[in-house]
Amino acid sequence: MWVDVIVEDVLKTRPQDRYVINDAKSPSGPIHVGSLRGVVLHDCILRGLAAADRPARFLFGFDDYDPMDSRPVAAPAEFDQYLGMPLSEVPSPAGGRGSFGRYYGLEFIEVWKHVGAHPEVYWTSEMYKSGKFNETIRTALDRAEDLIQIDREISGSQKADRHPVQPVCEHCGRVGTTVVVGWDGHQVEYECRPDKVTWAKGCGHRGKRSPFDGGSKLQYKAEWAAKWRILGVTIEGAGKDHMTKGGSHDVASAMVERIFNHPTPYPIPYEWFLVGGRKMSTSTGIGVPAAELVAILREELARFLMVRPHYRQQINFDPTGETIPNLYDEYDRAAAAFFGELEGKTPAETDLIRDHSRTFYYSRTNGEQPRCIRMRFAKVANLMQMPTVNLFDVAAKEKGAPLTAQDRSELQQRMEDARRWLGSYAPDHYRFQVQSSMPRVELSPMQREFLGQLAAVVAQQEWSGEELHNRIHDLKSQIGLKPKDAFSAIYLAFLGKDSGPQAGWLLASLDRAFVLARLRQASTAGVRGPFDSAQGRPGSEVR
RNA sequence: GGGCCGGUAGCUCAACUGGCAGAGCAGCGGACUCUUAAUCCGCGGGUUGAGGGUUCGAGUCCCCCCCGGCCCCCCA
C-alpha cells in the first residue's frame, strides 16, 4: 500500500519528532477534484504517521493573496475589473461578507470534510497582513538578484524579470501588474504596468511604499519557498504540473535551500485526477468541481477512489458504465479484508488482502467504520426497480438475522446511491422498463404456449409475487420448458429483453388486466421482425 | 525540446524490495422443482507494446524504440 511505503520512507530518510504536512491551493474559482486528491493524499500521510506514533500537523493554505488571473465562468463579467487584484480583495461572487478567495476556499473546505480530512486552514492574505512574511520579503528584496538567478538557472527560462517581490499598487490595488524598480531597505519603488501581463492591465501608477504587512506579496515560487521556511514544512506533495523537472517545485526547492536556509520538504509528486478523461482546471472552468464528485459518490467511495490507486498513477474516473458498481465491489472487498473476513491461500494472496485492508483503513472518512452487511450494489440497483420488493426484508433474510441499525443505514445509503446511479449513469441493460406495447420479439411455439397458460393462471385470482413465482415454476415443469426459455419468454413479452428481475414479483407488481392482455397477445403473436431489433433497447418500444 | 505515467486475458486492472503471470466483470458449460440479472460448481494455449542487455531467473532492473495520456517552457 503506497501510503505505508511513503510513511516508512519518510521515517527512514527524514527522522523527526514532529512533522508538518502542508498543502495549498489558490482559490481562484471552484476547486476541482484534482486538488481533493492532494488533500486526501496528505491526510493519509498524516494518518500513517499518527499510527506510527509520530505526531504531525496537517496545514492547508489558501493562497488568497494571489492575483485573480482569470474569471471563472460562473462569475459575472463585471468581475473583470478585479483582474490582477489579490483574491482576498475581490468581492465574493455570491455577494455577502467574504472575499472572492474566501468564498471558493470555504466551499472547498466543505468538500474535504466530507471525505474525512480536517487540516488546519490558513490564508496567505492574513499571513501577509499580519507580517508573517516580513522577514522573508526582506530577504527576497535584499537578495532579489540571487533569486532571479536561481529561477533562470533551474527553469532554464529566458525570462529575465521575474522579480521575487510584487508590491500591491496603492492606486488600483492590483498586485499582478507591479514591478519593483527600487529598494532602499525600508520601502520599495514600483511601477504598475499596463502591459506586464496579458490577463490584467496595470494603472500606470508609480510609487513608493512599505512592502511589509501586506504591502506586497512574494512571486509564487519564492512564496512557496518562504512558506516552507515560515511554517517549518517537512512534507508536501504537489501535482505533476509543479513537479516536472525544472518546474516550480525545483525552483522553490533551490530557493528555500540557498536563500531561506531551510531544507526542501519531503516531496510527493502525484498524478492528475481526471473525470471522463478531461483534465481538471480551476480557471478554465472545464472539469468537475470537487463538490460534484461528492454528489456523485458517497463520501467513503469518493475517498476510496483516491486512495486505492497508486499516487503516481492517473485516475480517470468515468461515472458511466460499470464504474460505480465495480468501485462498490472493490470497496466491499477492501472492507471484507479489513474486517478479517478473507483468508489468503497463498502468500501473495495474503499480501494482497493486507493491502486491501490498508486501503480500506486509509479510505475511512471517520474513525469508526461499523462492520455490517454490505449488499452488493448491483443487486440493490436491480431489486430497487421492483416496486413490491422490500430491500430491508431481503437483506434480513439473507443475513438470517434482524438488521442492526448499521445494517439498515448502510443499505439505505446504497439504495440512495443506486437510485442516483440508475437515474444518471447506469447502462441501459441495468435498467428495465415495461414496454407499453408488445415488443417485436421472437417466441417459440412452446414459449407462446407457456405464456398462454400463464395467462390462465393469472386470470384465476390475485397472486402475490412469491405465489406467482411458484406458479411459474410449476407451469414450466408441467410443460417441460427449460427455465431459461420460460423466464426469457416473460421478459421478452414485457421488457423486450431476454432477462430481467424476478419474474413473479415483476408480474405481481403490474396491473393485472395489463398483464393478462399482454400474456394473451404474446401467446398468439406470430413471429415478427428480426430478433435483435428489440434487443437491449428498453424503452425503444414505448410510445 | 525536457519530464511524468500508462501499454499484462474480450473489458477493468493485480502481481512487496527480481522468484511458478493472477483477480473481478464479460463469455461458455453445468447444477439448483422458493427468487434465471440470485446462489453454487467448472472452464484462461497471455510472444506481459517491440527489440536488445544484466541475471541461475525479468511484467519487475538497464538501454533503445513504438503507441496512448498528461505536464513544463504563459500564469499561479
Side-chain angles (χ1 to χ4, degrees):
Chain A
M1 172 54 190
W2 59 268
V3 179
D4 291 328
V5 173
I6 291 175
V7 168
E8 202 177 305
D9 192 52
V10 166
L11 294 176
K12 198 172 72 190
T13 62
R14 309 276 186 109
Q16 268 154 4
D17 294 334
R18 274 193 82 78
Y19 292 93
V20 177
I21 302 168
N22 186 53
D23 193 3
K25 179 79 184 94
S26 186
S28 56
I31 299 179
H32 293 272
V33 288
S35 301
L36 192 59
R37 183 180 198 177
V39 173
V40 169
L41 179 146
H42 289 106
D43 190 61
C44 286
I45 304 300
L46 176 74
R47 236 180 242 190
L49 286 172
D53 224 18
R54 296 303 172 100
R57 293 176 68 196
F58 177 15
L59 312 179
F60 192 98
F62 287 105
D63 295 330
D64 65 339
Y65 221 43
D66 287 358
M68 177 170 159
D69 62 359
S70 66
R71 176 169 53 84
V73 286
E78 56 264 35
F79 274 75
D80 283 350
Q81 65 180 299
Y82 304 118
L83 286 167
M85 285 172 54
L87 295 165
S88 61
E89 310 308 308
V90 176
S92 164
R97 312 174 290 290
S99 69
F100 195 87
R102 176 77 49 154
Y103 175 81
Y104 289 111
L106 292 175
E107 188 178 76
F108 191 49
I109 289 173
E110 285 311 306
V111 179
W112 76 43
K113 280 185 188 163
H114 281 295
V115 295
H118 305 280
E120 301 171 38
V121 174
Y122 64 91
W123 306 80
T124 50
S125 61
E126 292 175 353
M127 287 178 69
Y128 277 108
K129 290 174 182 175
S130 65
K132 294 228 169 64
F133 274 104
N134 285 358
E135 187 191 324
T136 51
I137 287 172
R138 177 175 294 282
T139 304
L141 285 164
D142 288 343
R143 303 192 59 184
E145 270 312 313
D146 293 336
L147 287 166
I148 292 169
Q149 193 48 47
I150 287 171
D151 194 1
R152 283 192 197 132
E153 173 196 328
I154 306 292
S155 71
S157 169
Q158 307 91 326
K159 224 176 166 175
D161 248 0
R162 206 141 25 183
H163 196 279
V165 175
Q166 298 176 308
V168 176
C169 177
E170 296 151 292
H171 185 71
C172 72
R174 292 193 174 83
V175 71
T177 51
T178 58
V179 176
V180 169
V181 293
W183 160 241
D184 62 10
H186 299 285
Q187 293 194 307
V188 281
E189 207 174 334
Y190 68 93
E191 290 173 8
C192 185
R193 295 185 179 160
D195 59 349
K196 184 195 171 193
V197 293
T198 54
W199 40 271
K201 195 170 175 191
C203 65
H205 179 72
R206 186 183 173 110
K208 208 170 180 185
R209 71 171 300 174
S210 165
F212 303 119
D213 302 324
S216 73
K217 86 177 286 291
L218 292 165
Q219 197 273 339
Y220 96 106
K221 295 178 197 178
E223 180 180 282
W224 201 2
K227 280 166 69 180
W228 288 340
R229 153 87 191 220
I230 295 164
L231 301 169
V233 178
T234 51
I235 301 172
E236 180 167 345
K240 73 190 291 187
D241 50 341
H242 298 288
M243 296 307 253
T244 197
K245 191 174 183 182
S248 54
H249 188 272
D250 279 358
V251 174
S253 173
M255 286 177 171
V256 76
E257 288 175 12
R258 297 191 209 164
I259 307 295
F260 296 118
N261 202 22
H262 182 83
T264 303
Y266 183 93
I268 306 168
Y270 57 86
E271 258 288 353
W272 295 108
F273 184 161
L274 316 178
V275 173
R278 287 185 312 174
K279 186 174 94 71
M280 302 299 95
S281 163
T282 307
S283 50
T284 59
I286 298 169
V288 172
E292 265 178 42
L293 181 74
V294 189
I296 296 172
L297 291 175
R298 63 186 280 192
E299 304 163 355
E300 294 86 351
L301 246 60
R303 179 154 176 148
F304 181 73
L305 175 66
M306 290 179 270
V307 172
R308 181 183 51 130
H310 193 272
Y311 64 105
R312 298 293 291 257
Q313 230 167 333
Q314 221 174 59
I315 297 174
N316 191 353
F317 177 69
D318 179 353
T320 64
E322 319 254 336
T323 303
I324 291 175
N326 285 341
L327 190 65
Y328 242 117
D329 285 348
E330 280 162 30
Y331 176 73
D332 288 348
R333 206 170 305 135
F338 181 80
F339 291 114
E341 294 160 14
L342 302 177
E343 214 166 301
K345 293 187 198 72
T346 63
E349 224 172 271
T350 306
D351 279 355
L352 203 60
I353 289 168
R354 198 184 47 228
D355 223 59
H356 287 160
S357 165
R358 297 299 292 161
T359 301
F360 185 80
Y361 168 78
Y362 284 117
S363 298
R364 297 188 304 178
T365 54
N366 49 45
E368 294 305 313
Q369 194 80 15
R371 185 172 181 169
C372 59
I373 60 155
R374 298 163 187 279
M375 189 187 285
R376 202 168 173 214
F377 181 76
K379 185 175 182 176
V380 173
N382 181 35
L383 293 178
M384 273 201 41
Q385 296 177 84
M386 296 294 310
T388 56
V389 171
N390 183 320
L391 267 291
F392 294 100
D393 293 345
V394 174
K397 202 167 171 185
E398 210 169 73
K399 185 185 181 185
L403 300 184
T404 63
Q406 276 87 13
D407 290 338
R408 296 184 69 86
S409 77
E410 176 66 30
L411 184 55
Q412 185 66 44
Q413 171 81 56
R414 286 174 191 238
M415 287 165 68
E416 285 163 23
D417 290 353
R419 183 172 295 117
R420 201 161 40 190
W421 180 68
L422 288 165
S424 310
Y425 308 108
D428 284 347
H429 71 274
Y430 277 93
R431 302 194 188 103
F432 55 79
Q433 189 172 358
V434 176
Q435 305 295 298
S436 57
S437 67
M438 177 68 199
R440 294 158 64 96
V441 293
E442 198 173 325
L443 294 169
S444 72
M446 263 180 87
Q447 284 179 312
R448 289 203 296 277
E449 168 68 16
F450 167 74
L451 293 177
Q453 294 202 25
L454 184 56
V457 169
V458 170
Q460 286 166 22
Q461 65 174 85
E462 195 80 43
W463 301 96
S464 72
E466 190 164 352
E467 290 166 338
L468 200 50
H469 175 81
N470 289 330
R471 296 286 84 75
I472 291 169
H473 271 285
D474 291 345
L475 201 54
K476 72 121 196 341
S477 310
Q478 209 176 305
I479 296 180
L481 199 57
K482 284 167 119 177
K484 183 167 192 156
D485 294 330
F487 282 95
S488 63
I490 295 171
Y491 298 131
L492 286 167
F494 285 86
L495 308 177
K497 344 194 281 176
D498 64 0
S499 64
Q502 302 135 304
W505 283 265
L506 172 66
L507 297 189
S509 72
L510 298 172
D511 177 75
R512 192 156 152 236
F514 169 78
V515 172
L516 266 178
R518 176 60 55 83
L519 286 173
R520 287 177 177 144
Q521 191 184 354
S523 68
T524 56
V527 178
R528 301 253 189 287
F531 178 73
D532 56 4
S533 70
Q535 268 294 84
R537 304 198 45 173
S540 61
E541 299 294 317
V542 174
R543 303 210 163 91

